Every structure is written in structure tokens, then in C-alpha cells.
Amino acid sequence: MSQPESEPPSRGAVAAADHDLSDAEFAELDAILADIPAPLEPLDVVMLDGFLCGVIVQPTLPEVDAWLPYVFDAGGHRWGEAEPSPEQRRARALVLRRHAALNRAIAEFGTFDPFILEVDDDGDLAVGEEGEEGNPQIASARPRESQADPAPPIDPIGAALLPWVAGFEQAVHLLPGLAELDEPAVSTTLARLFRFLPDDEQGTAALVARELPLTSLGDAIADIVACIAELYELTLPLRYKVEAVRRSTPKVGRNEPCPCGSGRKFKQCHGAVASS
């Protein structure tokens, strides 16, 4: 993964990490997730990447415990015993490092490298790519047998992007704050992302395709990255909004009568005590 040699700290990143996952660590994480036993339904690393972006662009800063269990099971059920196993601790650490790296890249640079798997001529997921760079070590990333296969997309671009966007959609459903915003720009940007999902009862995908046609997988990946960056900026003022402090009683001027009823000026009574 290519990143600038020197990176400023992220804004609101979870589990401050100095670097992103290596190819080997992505493959390790995918293997750990694949070994989570049924009936739990974990994400794979491709869906996880979209899911984490869906968490990052929320208009609030959700607690880790509000979303992390849903990485290991679609229903948020506990994975393993109360005392975490080494595999659980390792998976948690890797997920939070990827979250921190994505957050840092989006916040500071307005871009990131999404995990996308190419589709071969037979419509099967082939060796993956991260952004525009090949990544042969994640070829083992496949949809879990326990997960229901989504309806097949109508084009190779949609087939490649569907798992990533499905992961993003899962986070949006889990944390509905983003979708509930009354902001046309947010709705438009979400429509650009959801165009790759098979369920489109209102014909939004066709409309977006006519307005913003994508001729290659590279163009589609670039549009996904742009959408996430736009959503991040649109929600930034809400995410770090500082609430104004409201007084329970009106402010008393120094030369006004003290509210205690002594008949003295405020500055000579309780105001003097407050300032001392």
C-alpha cells in the first residue's frame, strides 16, 4: 500500500496506529474471519473495508463496541467466550488498525486505497487489487459459505464492487445517522455508491448510470473513493460539533441588584464571592 512517508495523526481515529496492514496481515485477518464458526456470519476483508468506511463517515463518532461485534457476526452475537482468545485479540487489533489507517487517509489526504477484488472472465472473484495496485496475497478473500450470495450484478464492474459496497451498506443500516440526515448532497452521494447493489426498486441505479457513466473498473473505484471523501467532508461539521453552553439562569450584570435579595449590587455581594 502506498502512503506518504510522513503522515499527520488522524482526527478521531480509533487505536492510533503508525501504519496500515501489510498484504500478509490482510490475508491473516481474512483467514481468522473465515475460521469463525457457524452460526456466526463474519465479514470478509473486502466487505470489512466498505463497512469501516461506513463507520468513519457517520455524523457522530460511534463507540467501537457499537460496531466491532458486527464485523465478527452480522447479528452482532458474541464470538467465543468472555475471555478473548489470541485469535480474537489479534483480529480486533488488525481491524482497528485498518480503521485507523482508513480514517487517517480520508481525514488528512481525502483519499484511500479500497480493497476491491477483480472479476475474471467467468464471473468469479480473482486475485484482488487495492486501488489500482495488484495485491496477490489476498486472493483467498472470498464470500463466506455461510453468507447468502447476493443476486448477480448485471456487469463485471458491479460484480467487483458489490461486496465492498454491501459492507458499506451494512454499516449504514447499523448506524442510521448518515442515512437519516436531511441533506440532499448526502442522499445523492449515497445513491452513487448504492448504484452497485442489485436491489434497486426505484430505478436509482439506472438514473445514476445515465448521469454519471463509468466505463472501467478503475473509474468506478475512483468514484467510490470520491464518494467516501465527500461524505466525510459533509458530515465533518456534525461529527466534531461543539455544543454551546446554555445558562440555566440569565447572566447578572455587576452593577445590577444581587439575585439573593440582599439589596446590594451583585459585584459587592455574590459577584464578589464568585470573582475571589
Side-chain angles (χ1 to χ4, degrees):
M1 170 174 294
S2 59
Q3 289 284 354
E5 293 183 1
S6 177
E7 299 176 353
S10 63
R11 293 172 285 179
V14 177
D18 293 330
H19 53 86
D20 200 353
L21 304 187
S22 67
D23 293 345
E25 287 171 324
F26 272 112
E28 177 190 1
L29 176 57
D30 192 64
I32 294 174
L33 295 174
D35 286 339
I36 294 177
L40 301 184
E41 298 182 15
L43 302 176
D44 60 34
V45 289
V46 180
M47 291 187 69
L48 170 65
D49 218 51
F51 180 87
L52 293 178
C53 286
V55 171
I56 289 169
V57 299
Q58 290 296 317
T60 59
L61 291 171
E63 296 292 335
V64 172
D65 289 341
W67 57 265
L68 186 59
Y70 294 86
V71 171
F72 308 125
D73 177 59
H77 299 102
R78 180 189 294 276
W79 167 32
E81 304 299 328
E83 182 65 26
S85 66
E87 290 78 13
Q88 288 173 281
R89 290 194 293 269
R90 179 59 172 166
R92 178 186 174 95
L94 292 174
V95 169
L96 294 183
R97 269 183 53 200
R98 178 58 175 168
H99 177 280
L102 284 169
N103 188 89
R104 183 171 59 250
I106 296 167
E108 304 298 340
F109 309 111
T111 188
F112 65 101
D113 292 329
F115 238 40
I116 305 293
L117 296 185
E118 293 180 345
V119 178
D120 61 23
D121 294 337
D122 296 325
D124 297 324
L125 293 176
V127 174
E129 69 172 51
E130 186 178 359
E132 296 291 33
E133 301 175 1
N135 192 353
Q137 296 199 51
I138 64 165
S140 61
R142 296 290 189 272
R144 309 284 178 242
E145 292 182 1
S146 60
Q147 293 175 340
D149 292 332
I154 60 174
D155 63 274
I157 294 177
L161 299 183
L162 174 56
W164 195 98
V165 178
F168 176 86
E169 182 191 35
Q170 184 168 331
V172 171
H173 285 168
L174 175 66
L175 305 168
L178 179 67
E180 292 175 352
L181 289 177
D182 186 17
E183 172 56 59
V186 170
S187 300
T188 299
T189 307
L190 287 175
R192 286 166 55 194
L193 286 166
F194 293 157
R195 69 194 293 186
F196 302 108
L197 297 174
D199 297 329
D200 182 33
E201 296 179 357
Q202 279 125 35
T204 305
L207 177 61
V208 174
R210 287 196 299 270
E211 296 292 330
L212 297 169
L214 300 172
T215 59
S216 69
L217 180 58
D219 287 344
I221 292 174
D223 193 56
I224 279 182
V225 172
C227 286
I228 297 300
E230 290 171 20
L231 289 172
Y232 186 92
E233 290 301 319
L234 287 168
T235 56
L236 183 61
L238 297 174
R239 194 158 47 251
Y240 297 98
K241 182 178 180 181
V242 178
E243 296 291 342
V245 177
R246 298 185 181 276
R247 296 177 179 272
S248 58
T249 58
K251 183 177 180 180
V252 181
R254 286 176 50 78
N255 291 315
E256 294 179 5
C258 186
C260 72
S262 66
R264 302 174 65 188
K265 291 183 178 181
F266 179 67
K267 67 181 180 181
Q268 296 171 339
C269 191
H270 282 79
V273 176
S275 61
S276 62

